[in-house]
Amino acid sequence: MEHQWTPENGLLDPLKTSFAYAPHKYDRSGLQRGVTSARQAYTTGDLLGYSEDFYELDLQATKGFATGALSHELTFGFDGDYSTQDYVRRDRTTNLVTGAVTEARAGASTSPMRKPAGRTSIFRTRSACLMASWS
């Protein structure tokens, strides 16, 4: 989503804003069959889930002015992004001879709806980019 605005008070020439949201999700599952060294059949079912929500905000402002015979244009702004990730992995192994089931889990989340063992989030910013030109 983009927007451009020019304040009536002349403080800035156009102010351009841009906001982006990009969700991403990936789920995979599988089943593996095998035989242990003790010749016992087993199956391993695995589940892998990953999701990410990415947000970005860009602000860019310009201001032109003159000093004597020279005209100047200053460009400055802000560029920041934030992302959250959820990661889940589960491997469930069933010994088909004994019926024993073992399960291994891993994962991390930045979602406030889940209580994760770990958290993953990223915030990056670039600001005060100042460019000047004159003629």
Side-chain angles (χ1 to χ4, degrees):
M1 174 173 58
E2 294 182 8
H3 181 261
Q4 184 169 321
W5 173 66
T6 303
E8 292 180 16
N9 64 8
L11 180 64
L12 298 173
D13 293 339
L15 172 66
K16 299 175 188 173
T17 60
S18 172
F19 177 76
Y21 168 65
H24 175 73
K25 185 172 180 160
Y26 172 81
D27 291 309
R28 182 190 62 77
S29 61
L31 182 66
Q32 177 183 349
R33 299 174 194 275
V35 177
T36 68
S37 59
R39 300 194 185 270
Q40 294 183 343
Y42 70 90
T43 60
T44 299
D46 66 278
L47 169 68
L48 174 66
Y50 175 80
S51 66
E52 176 181 37
D53 291 325
F54 182 81
Y55 306 86
E56 180 177 23
L57 175 65
D58 295 323
L59 303 171
Q60 180 180 323
T62 57
K63 177 62 181 168
F65 62 95
T67 56
L70 295 175
S71 62
H72 310 278
E73 183 176 87
L74 297 176
T75 302
F76 48 96
F78 170 83
D79 180 1
D81 51 70
Y82 177 76
S83 65
T84 60
Q85 299 87 25
D86 286 323
Y87 170 79
V88 176
R89 178 167 178 101
R90 183 193 73 219
D91 293 330
R92 182 179 290 156
T93 302
T94 303
N95 184 314
L96 299 177
V97 175
T98 65
V101 176
T102 58
E103 190 171 280
R105 293 179 175 261
S109 172
T110 58
S111 170
M113 301 303 287
R114 296 180 57 202
K115 301 296 182 194
R119 293 188 176 270
T120 305
S121 63
I122 300 170
F123 177 75
R124 293 182 289 264
T125 182
R126 294 178 293 279
S127 61
C129 302
L130 182 61
M131 297 174 53
S133 63
W134 55 91
S135 54

